[in-house]
Amino acid sequence: MSNAHHRFAPIQRFLHWLMAACIIAMLFIGVGMVSTVAPTYLPLILIHKTLGVTLLVLVLIRLALRLHYGAPPLPEDLPPAIRLGARLSHLALYGLMIVMPLLGLGMLWAAAYPVVLYGGIEIPAVLPQSDRAHTLLWSAHFYLGFAFFAIVLLHLAAALFHALVRRDGVFGTMALFTLRNRTTPSE
Amino acid sequence: MKQSGNLPRSGFGSLVLIAAVLGGGAAAFAYTAGWLSPGRLTPERMIAALAPPGGAPLGHRRNHAKGICFTGAFEANGNGAELSRARIFERGKYLAVGRFNLGTTDPNAVDATARVRGLGLQITAADGEEWRMALINPPFFAVSTPQAFHDLLIASGQKDPEAMKAFIQSNPEFAAFAAWAKTAPWTESYAQDAYHGLNSFIFTDARGGERTVRWSLLPAAPAVPISQAELERRGPDFLEQEITERIRTDGPQRWTMVTTVAGPGDPTADPSKAWPEGRRTVQVGTLVVQRIEQERDGPCRDINFDPTVLPKGIRVSDDPFPAARSSVYRKSYDLRAAEAGSYPRTEVAKP
Ligand code: HEM
Ligand code: HEM
């Protein structure tokens, strides 16, 4: 338990990497499916909807875990501006993880499409058809999708910077496996 | 000692590595989005190819832009249950909403200028499950693939007569459609046309048995042939006036839904090829059209008759069209919803 302050809990680390892979897949599937008329369009959009709703469930579990376990502190020598940046970008990532699936669902409801997931699971609509709501939700899903990708890239750059350049142990707090003292400070 | 000796070199190398990861990620994203492949057939390019010279009909469907709504019922006779376990085939009466339409990109087209007529239909089962489809009156489609449909739109939009010749040379299946367009009789009513789904789908029965099928709506009203010139004489919006009047005076209009089961080796992936005569057919029910409403405030305006909205027991086959249509209809819907301000939504205030 002495590790608690140096690393995220194993379940948190597991969820982090699982969701990271799925979110990157969602972003690529999203832009890929809307730019094709090939037969793969149908399986792609089915995966997009199913995985997106699954991620919504996962992020809620993840937030609960985050509130329960907290996060290890950032290194003391990290400049305040970087700290603020880290905090804000993490907030943005959590926000997008929650908002993106809701926008996706809302956009389909507002267009009066039945939302049917893999296995025939149907999610009942909670919004009536509305051109205005559809356009608003569509635009938000579209622009925030690109913002999400940009922030994911930034997050990845920062993680690699911690791991490879600063070598301050921040990467190790979320690593799935303990890497040699390359990424975690030796104690 | 070792650490400080290592840092500057690996620090620079690391930065290069980080830049490469970011650049590679961004490039892969751009590639997936099609930004690096101008040749990819995207829904946007299909929509652009549909646009008439005067520009797209803002706020309207990007194809089959002229239409009128109807409501009524689909009365399933129960025979469909042996082909598909879809609940819509269980004997009963289900809500139907649809749209008679013309295959034109002009919402104000003169009726006699539209060779192809269509019917959009949404049937809702008792538990809310939906089946949507959009059918047309030719007995086979103009081309074999979505790409060929795009090429047809481009070629037919060109002034140069060589463009169509070149198109037909590389898409010989179009000749049959051209012959149909030239020789098939026109009718004087939406109620007298047969509407064909053309695309094939797979029906799954209660025991898991699968069959590839196509379906059509065959009219109860006998066809009264009419020349194109006579139709033109009757007025630009004759078909909408006629169907409204017909239902008001003669009552509901009916179509029998007939499904045709593919035989072994039939071209299930090519809607331009009719299946041979004598294939097994099953009459699964009757579409009853009871009420006509103008599109502008009618119940069909905001429905996307996406042919991949299917109940359990029906799914897509190896026919590439339903996926292409779903992708393009979605884009068309996104656009017309965003342009709703340009659509004359409500009748001009009455004096
Ligand atoms: C983490 C969650 C999600 C992410 C990151 C995501 C991302 C994206 C991206 C990048 C696009 C392409 C935008 C474009 O280039 O036009 C897209 C489109 C789309 N997404 Fe999502 N999405 C998520 C969740 C969902 C969910 C849960 C649904 C529905 C249940 C959904 C439905 C759609 C639909 C229907 C489109 C196509 C919109 C259109 O152009 O008509 N998404 N998504
Ligand atoms: C790749 C080929 C095709 C393309 C690109 C295409 C394109 C379109 C578009 C953009 C719309 C307007 C959709 C909307 O905004 O709701 C439309 C409507 C329609 N299409 Fe197609 N289409 C294709 C193939 C077909 C086929 C094979 C059929 C018939 C079997 C068909 C029948 C119809 C009908 C009846 C409508 C009107 C539906 C309604 O009332 O809303 N289309 N098409």
Side-chain angles (χ1 to χ4, degrees), chain B residues 112-128:
Chain B
T113 59
R115 179 70 268 218
V116 171
R117 295 178 190 166
L119 185 151
L121 179 62
Q122 170 183 297
I123 305 173
T124 308
D127 61 358

Side-chain angles (χ1 to χ4, degrees), chain A residues 159-180:
Chain A
L160 289 173
F161 191 75
H162 282 293
L164 304 175
V165 180
R166 275 185 59 96
R167 299 183 181 183
D168 54 8
V170 168
F171 188 86
T173 63
M174 195 51 103
L176 262 192
F177 309 103
T178 316
L179 304 175
R180 282 162 297 140

Side-chain angles (χ1 to χ4, degrees), chain A residues 26 30 33-34 48 100-101 104 107-108 138 141-142, chain B residues 330 334:
Chain A
M26 283 298 289
M33 70 187 188
V34 299
H48 190 85
M100 282 299 287
M107 149 171 79
L108 293 175
W138 182 94
H141 196 78
F142 177 85
Chain B
R330 169 186 53 78
D334 290 346

